[in-house]
């Protein structure tokens, strides 16, 4: 097989905005996971995860901050580059951090271009509903696919008065629905629904033509997303909606303890692990 044929065959199997739209039409759920580096991007891509999100959650799980607010555009760009190198099939979505789009649509377009051009992202995600609809429209006009994010938006932690479930009560439900409709009308190709009651997740999913991607938004969303550290059991604490599919934190601790023990007792390196 020629190189050209191989390259085009690979491209055909890539996850795209069109293939995700088709998954919604066929009612076939898809998956998104966060990733922040080459190694995990490669593992998740090979495992069949459809979308890798370079989330600004890197502020929490990589940098050790309490919120995502300190994360910079250059930091997300840097992590996106690493993730993009590890991927053959998955779509890479780069999160637009706090401060990279709030000033206005022009700033938003400039930031989105950086994430695509320097980071290698296939799409960008930004938090907000009606308030960011103009920015969504302008980024899409620059030919960059936009994933929106409504409900509990962590960059609004100070405004919300904490990380609180959104969309409760008639007024709360109305706000989330209006936000989701606004970003769809602005041209977003998908929308993350975070921290809302499951029945509202279902209602929004049925109402929208674009795929919904839930995190703490119930089983009826078109797709699900988790932060990789939660999925793998690398965090001390996880929210109640998280299911831990692995226990890598405990395994890493055990491996490090064994290493320390063997080195201090001169058991490592042994004959097998020494050059002759
Ligand atoms: O930053 C992030 O990881 C996210 C997901 C939780 C959706 O926005």
């Amino acid at each position: 097989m020629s190189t050209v044929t191989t390259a085009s065959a690979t491209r055909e199997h890539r996850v795209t905005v069109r293939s995700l739209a088709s998954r919604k039409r066929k009612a076939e759920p898809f998956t998104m996971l966060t990733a922040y580096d080459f190694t995990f991007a490669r593992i998740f891509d090979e495992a069949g995860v459809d979308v890798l999100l370079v989330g600004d959650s890197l502020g929490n799980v990589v940098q050790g901050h309490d919120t995502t607010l300190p994360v910079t555009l250059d930091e997300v760009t840097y992590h996106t580059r690493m993730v993009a190198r590890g991927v053959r099939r998955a779509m890479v979505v780069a999160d637009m951090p706090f401060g990279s789009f709030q000033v206005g649509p022009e700033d938003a377009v400039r930031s989105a271009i950086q994430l695509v051009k320097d980071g290698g992202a296939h799409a960008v995600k930004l938090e907000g509903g009606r308030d960011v609809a103009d920015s969504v429209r302008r980024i899409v006009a620059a030919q960059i696919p936009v994933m929106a994010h409504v409900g509990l938006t962590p960059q609004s932690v100070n405004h919300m008065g904490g990380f609180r479930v959104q969309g409760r009560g008639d007024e709360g439900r109305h706000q989330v629905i209006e936000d989701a409709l606004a970003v769809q009308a602005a041209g977003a190709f998908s929308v993350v629904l975070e921290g809302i009651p499951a029945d509202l997740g279902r209602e929004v999913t049925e109402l929208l033509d674009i795929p919904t991607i839930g995190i703490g938004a119930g089983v009826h969303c078109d797709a699900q997303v988790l932060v990789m550290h939660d999925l793998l059991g690398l965090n001390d604490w996880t929210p109640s909606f998280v299911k831990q599919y692995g226990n890598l934190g405990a395994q890493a601790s055990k491996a490090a303890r064994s290493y320390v023990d063997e080195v201090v007792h001169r058991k490592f390196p042994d004959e097998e692990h020494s050059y002759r």
Side-chain angles (χ1 to χ4, degrees):
M1 198 186 279
S2 77
T3 320
V4 173
T5 317
T6 310
S8 60
T10 306
R11 261 199 308 275
E12 273 165 32
H13 291 101
R14 285 209 89 114
V15 176
T16 63
V17 293
R18 287 169 63 92
S19 65
L20 296 179
S22 144
R23 297 277 282 272
K24 168 143 188 156
R25 282 196 301 276
K26 293 188 211 157
E28 291 173 1
F30 64 88
T31 50
M32 178 158 96
L33 252 188
T34 65
Y36 315 97
D37 67 20
F38 169 81
T39 301
F40 278 106
R42 189 173 49 74
I43 291 169
F44 297 155
D45 183 63
E46 284 172 4
V49 177
D50 299 297
V51 184
L52 294 189
L53 170 67
V54 186
D56 64 352
S57 51
L58 73 87
N60 306 108
V61 296
V62 178
Q63 298 175 334
H65 294 296
D66 289 338
T67 72
T68 57
L69 299 179
V71 176
T72 68
L73 184 64
D74 286 346
E75 287 165 350
V76 178
T77 307
Y78 169 72
H79 285 275
T80 304
R81 247 185 249 133
M82 293 188 255
V83 168
R85 280 186 216 120
V87 158
R88 290 170 63 87
R89 172 185 170 273
M91 174 188 284
V92 176
V93 179
D95 221 352
M96 298 186 63
F98 180 67
S100 70
F101 63 93
Q102 282 83 357
V103 172
E106 227 171 273
D107 220 29
V109 176
R110 205 172 294 117
S111 301
I113 288 174
Q114 175 173 325
L115 292 169
V116 172
K117 209 174 171 74
D118 301 343
H122 304 125
V124 299
K125 174 171 89 57
L126 78 167
E127 295 184 10
R130 287 158 288 181
D131 50 337
V132 298
D134 281 346
S135 294
V136 172
R137 206 170 284 113
R138 289 284 300 280
I139 299 170
V140 173
Q143 311 301 303
I144 299 172
V146 173
M147 176 181 285
H149 183 159
V150 306
L152 194 170
T153 46
Q155 289 174 17
S156 314
V157 57
N158 294 324
H159 183 71
M160 290 183 304
F163 298 103
R164 299 167 179 282
V165 173
Q166 301 293 301
R168 288 206 166 120
D170 288 348
E171 182 50 28
R173 289 179 82 88
H174 177 72
Q175 299 291 340
V176 172
I177 290 170
E178 289 300 312
D179 282 339
L181 287 171
V183 291
Q184 171 173 270
F189 76 94
S190 60
V191 57
V192 169
L193 304 179
E194 178 165 356
I196 59 171
D199 65 327
L200 180 56
R202 179 182 205 152
E203 187 176 342
V204 175
T205 300
E206 288 173 356
L207 210 54
L208 295 190
D209 297 323
I210 59 173
T212 60
I213 305 167
I215 176 159
V219 74
H220 298 290
C221 297
D222 298 303
Q224 296 293 327
V225 53
L226 283 177
V227 170
M228 60 161 274
H229 289 60
D230 290 337
L231 172 109
L232 296 177
L234 284 164
N235 286 335
D236 291 344
W237 175 88
T238 49
S240 61
F241 65 80
V242 163
K243 180 166 175 188
Q244 214 175 286
Y245 287 85
N247 207 354
L248 256 56
Q251 278 180 266
S253 170
K254 190 164 171 238
R257 281 167 203 273
S258 302
Y259 168 69
V260 169
D261 184 64
E262 292 202 356
V263 169
V264 301
H265 292 98
R266 293 200 188 282
K267 289 185 182 163
F268 176 83
D270 54 13
E271 283 278 299
E272 192 190 336
H273 299 96
S274 301
Y275 290 122
R276 284 171 231 279

